[in-house]
Amino acid sequence: MNQFPTIRLRRLRTSATLREMLAEVRLSPSQLIAPLFVREGTGIRREIASMPGQFQHSVDTAMETIRRWADKGLPAVLLFGIPDKKDAVGSGAWDDGAATQRLIGEIKQALPHLVVITDVCLCEYTEHGHCGTLCTRPDGTVDVDNDPTLISLAKTAVSHAQAGADIVAPSAMMDGQVGAIRSGLDEADLNMTGLMSYAVKFASSLYGPFRDAAESSPQSGDRRAYQMDYRSTGQSSREAHLDVAEGADMLMVKPAGAYLDVISDVRRQFDLPLAAYQVSGEYSMIKAAAQAGWIDERAVAVEVVTAIKRAGADLIITYFAEQLTEWLGE
Ligand code: PBG
């Protein structure tokens, strides 16, 4: 008996050229979306302590950064606004003169081909840090009041779209938010504004660094009464089905790296373009381990983002977007 194998899978791994020819998953800068935090003021470029390499910008410095990104070949940004003043309902979110709206206008003037996506949520704009207007339930628990929040979200999306946003991305996890925003946009004659739904968004501890960046931590409680429970993936297709029925143009799964099963599930069930969001905690963990010298930042970031692509995401929202465009170009 021949004790040596006839079939040798290693044959196809022998050279870099062969491995390159046979690579099934390829990352390209054209699939990446870079998040950016914009606040009021001028000349501000404040590094976020828990997210090395990420900044809060004012509109002017944001423009410098975004020009650089566009020059490097990044196709799209996802904007998050940070107001100076917060209130109970988050009215700063639909202020046409707020930093986000001004930045959208400037981008569209200077870089008309860059795709501008905006996060539509209220947590940065409410003094309590929840994603909508609060109510008290009969048993005394304080919760986000779904339906009044829908009106605020629709006003916010319309304000972003009027400023020139190409795509609005509601992330508040209110029931009916996609439908409310779609009709708000249509009534305002904005029927060509796209809608990327954070359809499958889990209540995740991986958003921790983002809440420092966006100054949006809930002052009491958490978001488990509206974001999904990570133990119940059965709800992901219901969430996605509803958003499709309500008019979403694209779906999103968030977080990404620990939810590859969910990404591949949604990919199989739906034919809409699918985005995945590699969130702040996923970024910060890689950065921290790399800074400690424990992992190779570039190799790990490329591997993890490739895995998110392999799971079925068409587009990836990642804080590594700028670095990835450099790495992929080399
Ligand atoms: C707004 C929003 C959050 C993130 C994106 N949109 C925070 C949250 O839901 O608490 C998180 C993004 C990240 O962690 O990078 N609701």
Side-chain angles (χ1 to χ4, degrees):
M1 188 188 114
N2 185 353
Q3 65 195 33
F4 301 111
T6 318
I7 296 167
R8 293 174 188 270
L9 298 182
R10 291 185 54 193
R11 285 181 198 124
L12 298 183
R13 298 177 197 145
T14 48
S15 79
T17 312
L18 260 176
R19 292 193 294 272
E20 186 61 29
M21 288 166 69
L22 296 171
E24 292 161 46
V25 181
R26 284 167 213 275
L27 271 187
S28 143
S30 65
Q31 301 151 338
L32 303 178
I33 300 168
L36 180 128
F37 301 100
V38 62
R39 62 176 310 140
E40 302 297 334
T42 48
I44 299 169
R45 189 169 176 273
R46 195 178 295 162
E47 190 164 23
I48 298 151
S50 54
M51 299 179 73
Q54 300 300 311
F55 299 83
Q56 289 184 344
H57 294 88
S58 47
V59 172
D60 53 335
T61 64
M63 276 310 292
E64 291 165 20
T65 297
I66 292 169
R67 271 179 213 279
R68 190 180 70 231
W69 289 350
D71 285 346
K72 288 183 181 166
L74 273 176
V77 288
L78 172 62
L79 304 181
F80 293 92
I82 309 161
D84 272 345
K85 288 197 205 81
K86 302 179 189 240
D87 63 21
V89 294
S91 63
W94 60 90
D95 173 354
D96 295 336
T100 305
Q101 283 83 342
R102 298 199 315 276
L103 179 58
I104 299 166
E106 292 213 14
I107 300 171
K108 280 288 132 188
Q109 208 160 25
L111 303 161
H113 300 299
L114 194 81
V115 172
V116 176
I117 309 172
T118 59
D119 185 82
V120 175
C121 196
L122 303 164
C123 56
E124 298 95 341
Y125 298 89
T126 53
E127 54 209 5
H128 44 75
H130 280 287
C131 300
T133 305
L134 297 184
C135 62
T136 306
R137 301 268 180 233
D139 68 353
T141 40
V142 173
D143 198 359
V144 176
D145 203 356
N146 197 86
D147 299 0
T149 300
L150 295 181
I151 297 166
S152 304
L153 291 169
K155 283 195 277 194
T156 304
V158 168
S159 174
H160 292 174
Q162 269 163 349
D166 300 289
I167 296 173
V168 291
S171 68
M173 289 301 281
M174 294 300 118
D175 286 327
Q177 63 182 9
V178 170
I181 289 174
R182 186 70 269 160
S183 29
L185 291 168
D186 291 351
E187 279 160 26
D189 270 337
L190 294 160
N191 58 14
M192 290 305 286
T193 304
L195 221 156
M196 174 193 269
S197 166
Y198 284 73
V200 185
K201 174 171 173 178
F202 292 91
S204 171
S205 296
L206 291 162
Y207 307 150
F210 172 94
R211 292 179 187 167
D212 293 341
E215 301 175 8
S216 65
S217 290
Q219 299 304 302
S220 61
D222 53 43
R223 304 208 199 293
R224 284 183 292 182
Y226 40 105
Q227 299 178 350
M228 289 172 60
D229 189 314
Y230 58 79
R231 299 166 299 183
S232 308
T233 59
Q235 292 181 7
S236 37
S237 49
R238 295 195 74 196
E239 285 283 357
H241 271 295
L242 278 170
D243 288 3
V244 173
E246 291 173 28
D249 300 296
M250 291 192 221
L251 297 173
M252 190 203 299
V253 172
K254 174 187 170 194
Y259 293 81
L260 298 180
D261 55 329
V262 181
I263 295 173
S264 76
D265 238 40
V266 174
R267 166 75 300 151
R268 270 196 294 271
Q269 288 186 58
F270 297 89
D271 53 9
L272 282 77
L274 177 61
Y277 196 150
Q278 184 189 42
V279 300
S280 56
E282 301 179 66
Y283 172 82
S284 299
M285 290 193 295
I286 295 174
K287 283 281 174 185
Q291 284 184 350
W294 296 336
I295 59 170
D296 175 336
E297 176 179 354
R298 172 177 173 162
V300 171
V302 171
E303 178 178 338
V304 172
V305 175
T306 304
I308 295 168
K309 180 90 204 298
R310 193 186 60 222
D314 302 301
L315 300 175
I316 298 160
I317 303 163
T318 169
Y319 300 96
F320 283 111
E322 180 177 15
Q323 286 177 286
L324 281 168
T325 54
E326 285 166 16
W327 295 332
L328 296 172
E330 280 163 17

